[in-house]
Amino acid sequence: MSTPVLVFDKVRKSYGSTEALKGISFDIAPSEVVGLLGPNGAGKSTLFQIAAGLFAPDDGTVDVFGLDYKQHASEILARLGVVFQSRSLDLDMTVNANLKFHGQLFGLSGKLLETRISEVTELLEVADLRKRPVRTLSGGNQRRVEIARALLNKPDLLLMDEPSVGLDATTRRKLVDHMQVVREQQGTSILWATHLVEEVDRADRIVFIAQGEVTHMGSPAQIIETSGAATLTDAYVALTGGADAHVEPAA
Ligand code: ADP
Ligand code: MG
């Protein structure tokens, strides 16, 4: 087995008396796409922010590329791509200016920066929008630009927190297609947090999280088999005890 790119080990985090994470453990292998699936309030963003090094867990550890944020934050961040839940592009600047600024933060410049901007905008199919102010782009295209930006440094691990919130079904599906291309072409590992089952049906592995705990983990096929359901959506409802479950959970 190759060394995981990300390891959560018994991660705990509370906000006052709210226990957001109650001991989360799982890891992500190189080139693996993992869907972190759970309802609102499950703890996805909290876990995501810990993975991105924004704050430390109260207890337990997070290792990224075998490194610890306390000692190696800049080494980790140089190899990480992050797309946060809330949008974070400058709306008045052009797509190109946004990408250029971000690339420079990673120490890219000149011809190399130009080449990287061309590559990532072509990959996400926004190359022809480069001269447009971000404000004039659709929500879906703005999100694509954010993902392109997160890929400028050729990250070994891409973290995305509900990247498709506010997008229509067709655009959401397209984002899933883009992520498969990113993984195939760049070997990037991806952690994709979402509450929408259809966004993780092509993930290598799905981690179900509810009320700060991992409840189930496995490939989409394994999860369907465990639940005895016909589809991943039915499996999700069955395993998470949804009130309108279509099937009985497997014993
Ligand atoms: P998700 O992203 O799955 O919706 P979050 O990680 O945002 O879940 O939230 C998990 C729990 O922690 C929720 O009960 C939420 O209300 C609480 N929480 C999240 N962020 C904060 C915060 N900054 N202060 C207090 N409580 C928070
Ligand atoms: Mg969230």
Side-chain angles (χ1 to χ4, degrees), residues 157 168 227:
L157 173 63
D168 61 62
S227 70

Side-chain angles (χ1 to χ4, degrees), residues 2-6 28-34 51 63-67 69 74-82 106 116 147 149-160 179 182-191 204:
S2 42
T3 313
V5 291
L6 175 63
I28 301 179
S31 300
E32 191 180 26
V33 176
V34 174
D63 273 0
V64 189
F65 314 125
L67 304 169
Y69 272 110
S74 54
E75 280 166 83
I76 295 173
L77 293 176
R79 295 172 61 194
L80 203 63
V82 184
F106 278 105
R116 285 302 296 152
I147 296 171
R149 183 182 66 175
L151 294 173
L152 275 172
N153 59 328
K154 284 201 180 164
D156 293 313
L157 173 63
L158 178 64
L159 305 172
M160 296 200 297
M179 288 349 297
V182 167
R183 184 263 290 278
E184 276 155 33
Q185 292 196 359
Q186 313 209 352
T188 315
S189 303
I190 300 174
L191 179 65
D204 299 311

